[in-house]
């Protein structure tokens, strides 16, 4: 029986050079080669499943839950993503998270309001026809 020594087949890099960590591509190729050797099949590329990006409407719903939980900073991040993807409701909700009056109404402490950004976002929401003019006019005061 042949005795296998630990690390006996590993090569050390030349002095002054660090060993390179395997890349994702290299790992996928190595796994494919191992499967081919084990099962006698032709080399097949194995792809990791792509993570589905949430739909903009789902992002807005997540942001609304975060607002109800009092996580305004988290909601802002999620709403930015939704707004960048063209979700119209995200604009109005993001404006509310910057509005000092809304932050007071939600009893938020420790988060800086940004009235100028709120006004700009409310104006954008009005241009996109998102809310009734009366509520937007009140929000922009």
């Amino acid at each position: 029986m042949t005795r296998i020594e630990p690390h006996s087949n590993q090569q050390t890099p030349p002095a002054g050079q660090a060993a390179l960590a395997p890349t994702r591509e290299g790992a996928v190729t190595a796994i494919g080669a191992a499967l081919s050797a084990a099962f006698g099949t032709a080399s097949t590329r194995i792809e990791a499943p792509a993570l589905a990006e949430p739909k903009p409407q789902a992002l807005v719903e997540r942001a609304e839950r975060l607002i109800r939980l009092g996580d305004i900073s988290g909601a802002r991040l999620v709403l930015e993503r939704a707004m960048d993807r063209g979700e119209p409701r995200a604009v109005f909700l993001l404006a509310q998270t910057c509005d000092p009056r809304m932050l007071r109404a939600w009893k938020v402490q420790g988060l800086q309001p940004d009235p100028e950004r709120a006004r700009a976002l409310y104006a954008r929401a009005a241009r996109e026809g998102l809310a009734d003019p009366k509520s937007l006019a009140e929000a922009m005061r």
Side-chain angles (χ1 to χ4, degrees), residues 11 17-18 23 40 42-43 51-53 59 63 70 79 82 84 97 100 103 106-107 111 114-115 122 124 136:
Q11 296 179 358
Q17 290 184 1
T23 62
S43 178
L51 296 176
E53 190 66 34
L59 291 171
L79 289 166
D84 290 344
T97 68
L103 294 176
W106 292 334
K107 298 180 177 150
L111 187 66
D114 189 346
Y122 282 134
R124 178 175 168 182
L136 276 172

Side-chain angles (χ1 to χ4, degrees), residues 1-139:
M1 191 187 284
T2 308
R3 183 174 174 180
I4 300 174
E5 294 293 323
H7 308 292
S8 63
N9 62 350
Q10 292 184 354
Q11 296 179 358
T12 18
Q17 290 184 1
L20 296 176
T23 62
R24 180 179 187 276
E25 182 74 24
V28 169
T29 303
I31 291 170
L35 289 173
S36 294
F39 297 105
T41 61
S43 178
T44 307
R45 181 172 171 81
I46 300 172
E47 286 293 327
L51 296 176
E53 190 66 34
K55 293 185 177 1
Q57 185 176 8
L59 291 171
V60 169
E61 290 167 3
R62 182 183 304 164
E64 288 172 331
R65 284 192 304 273
L66 290 170
I67 290 170
R68 281 192 298 275
L69 292 171
D71 185 0
I72 307 304
S73 295
R76 283 179 179 174
L77 294 172
V78 173
L79 289 166
E80 288 280 352
R81 284 178 57 199
M83 190 175 71
D84 290 344
R85 293 168 162 207
E87 176 56 44
R89 283 188 323 156
V91 178
F92 186 77
L93 287 171
L94 186 57
Q96 287 185 317
T97 68
C98 297
D99 187 333
R101 286 173 298 149
M102 289 305 299
L103 294 176
R104 273 193 305 277
W106 292 334
K107 298 180 177 150
V108 174
Q109 295 180 353
L111 187 66
Q112 285 295 97
D114 189 346
E116 289 181 30
R117 184 166 189 221
R119 276 191 289 279
L121 288 167
Y122 282 134
R124 178 175 168 182
R127 284 192 307 272
E128 294 178 12
L130 290 176
D132 66 281
K134 184 178 178 183
S135 65
L136 276 172
E138 286 178 17

